């Protein structure tokens, strides 16, 4: 009788990213472009005043519905007291800053990992300038959203700042925020 011993190989991790898994995903996309199509979803419910709650759970990826999340993520938003909110949570435009820097950071780290570039640390600060006269309907000449966002990122790595900046620019949220996008908006009463 012979005994087989299973050999467990450690994943090829760079920057905490399983590079083998990412490469397998890339190969699937190259073999079947429909594998690249993803759809993320969110539902939202108003609570009171400026407070509302967004739930995020299922999504479509890899040519199928992904139902691996047992419970939804819940994100609450509110408004600062100066504009009649309770200031209990970040407001939606602050979440945009979070989404932007989260995506820039993750994109940088993942692209660096696939290229074998080690990242020791990433620290960032963001500022978004917004003139609320547009939001309040006091001026048609003032944009309703941020009119300028500054991202200051510091990365500890042996790679050059230019090379790392190029990797971060693959960020989907950076693309959305910096170029805007069409949004189909429908509202109905019930």
């Amino acid at each position: 009788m012979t005994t087989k011993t299973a050999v467990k190989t450690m994943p090829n991790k760079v920057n905490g990213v399983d590079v083998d898994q990412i490469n397998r995903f890339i190969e699937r996309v190259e073999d079947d472009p429909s594998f690249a199509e993803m759809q993320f979803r969110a539902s939202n419910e108003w609570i009171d005043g400026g407070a509302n709650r967004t739930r995020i759970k299922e999504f479509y990826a890899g040519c199928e519905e992904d139902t691996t999340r047992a419970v939804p993520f819940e994100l609450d938003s509110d408004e600062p007291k100066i504009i009649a909110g309770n200031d209990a949570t970040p407001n939606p435009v602050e979440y945009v800053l979070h989404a932007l820097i989260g995506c820039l950071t993750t994109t940088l780290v993942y692209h660096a990992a696939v290229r074998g570039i080690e990242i020791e640390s990433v620290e960032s600060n963001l500022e978004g300038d917004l003139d609320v006269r547009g939001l309040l309907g006091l001026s048609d000449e003032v944009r309703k959203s941020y009119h300028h966002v500054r991202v200051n990122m510091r990365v500890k790595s042996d790679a050059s700042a230019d090379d790392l900046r190029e990797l971060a620019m693959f960020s989907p949220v950076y693309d959305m925020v910096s170029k805007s996008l069409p949004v189909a908006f429908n509202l109905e009463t019930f």
Side-chain angles (χ1 to χ4, degrees), residues 48-185:
D48 184 51
N52 60 86
R53 176 169 293 133
T54 299
R55 288 181 178 84
I56 300 170
K57 192 174 178 199
E58 290 89 5
F59 60 96
Y60 180 85
C63 297
E64 63 185 3
E65 284 296 313
D66 185 299
T67 57
T68 57
R69 294 175 176 161
V71 296
F73 297 115
E74 291 188 344
L75 305 169
D76 289 351
S77 62
D78 196 1
E79 293 295 339
K81 289 183 188 261
I82 193 169
I83 53 175
N86 290 316
D87 206 19
T89 63
N91 70 15
V93 295
E94 291 169 313
Y95 275 115
V96 169
L97 295 178
H98 168 69
L100 175 60
I101 199 55
C103 193
L104 281 166
T105 301
T106 300
T107 300
L108 165 67
V109 169
Y110 271 51
H111 277 269
V114 169
R115 288 163 177 78
I117 298 170
E118 292 191 19
I119 304 288
E120 288 184 51
S121 67
V122 180
E123 298 173 357
S124 303
N125 293 298
L126 289 82
E127 297 173 333
D129 300 329
L130 188 137
D131 183 334
V132 297
R133 289 178 296 163
L135 162 71
L136 297 174
L138 301 175
S139 174
D140 292 336
E141 297 172 15
V142 175
R143 191 174 179 167
K144 295 174 189 77
S145 63
Y146 287 125
H147 58 83
H148 193 222
V149 174
R150 288 170 300 286
V151 177
N152 296 299
M153 182 181 277
R154 293 176 28 126
V155 181
K156 189 170 184 181
S157 174
D158 290 336
S160 74
D162 287 339
D163 289 344
L164 295 172
R165 187 178 301 106
E166 183 179 317
L167 299 179
M169 292 299 98
F170 284 101
S171 162
V173 177
Y174 175 81
D175 186 71
M176 276 190 282
V177 171
S178 66
K179 297 178 183 171
S180 294
L181 77 152
V183 175
F185 178 77

